[in-house]
Amino acid sequence: MSKYFLILICFITGWFNTDGALAQIKNPVYKLMLDSIYEHKIPVIPVEEFIKMTKYAVYVLDTREKQEFKVSHLKSARNVGYFWFDMRTVYDIPLDASIVAYCSIGNRSEKIAEKLIHAGYRNVSILYGGIFEWINEGQPVYKENGVQTSEVHTYNKEWEQWLEKGTKIN
């Protein structure tokens, strides 16, 4: 399938529509918090649409730190980090590739996505609600050895309240 056709499908189905993404989150306080921290410069992908998107060629970037990634991550994710993010970690990704970045709730991934766009990447979005919403929607996460787990690194005490499912790890 051509990348241009995939992009067209994304727009038609609303993958890049923030309102559609907002509809997925069931907790209205969580929804409000996410809306307040996002700068809304990067398209967001709700969990259900991201699942559909992974059937096609998509690069999944985990923008959390290595210790968070080791606890659990999405199956096909590549850890690129946040604090010490280096463009060399994505050098092999074509500039026109579809990229979805995520972190705990989306704050850090949005900032890394902006860096990618400034570097010339054209099809970058973030997973709305991050790995927390992924888990809250009942989706699987994995350890580095590929074994499925229920554990999720919660980043900090303030954000851990938004993780409704899974085993919280600090």
Side-chain angles (χ1 to χ4, degrees), residues 117-133:
I117 289 170
H118 289 303
Y121 289 91
R122 296 184 289 276
N123 302 313
V124 182
S125 55
I126 62 171
L127 180 62
Y128 189 71
I131 197 170
F132 286 11
E133 187 58 21

Side-chain angles (χ1 to χ4, degrees), residues 58-126:
V58 62
Y59 289 87
V60 182
L61 303 181
D62 187 317
T63 65
R64 300 173 304 148
E65 299 305 328
K66 188 69 174 168
Q67 67 272 18
E68 296 171 270
F69 184 82
K70 285 182 178 182
V71 171
S72 65
H73 54 272
L74 277 62
K75 191 171 192 172
S76 60
R78 174 193 303 195
N79 184 238
V80 296
Y82 175 74
F83 190 71
W84 295 107
F85 174 73
D86 186 332
M87 290 301 294
R88 290 177 288 188
T89 61
V90 297
Y91 76 93
D92 61 317
I93 300 176
L95 294 176
D96 62 349
S98 295
I99 299 171
V100 177
Y102 75 91
C103 61
S104 297
I105 61 173
N107 189 38
R108 294 176 286 174
S109 58
E110 186 176 45
K111 290 172 179 45
I112 296 299
E114 286 181 41
K115 289 180 179 186
L116 293 169
I117 289 170
H118 289 303
Y121 289 91
R122 296 184 289 276
N123 302 313
V124 182
S125 55
I126 62 171

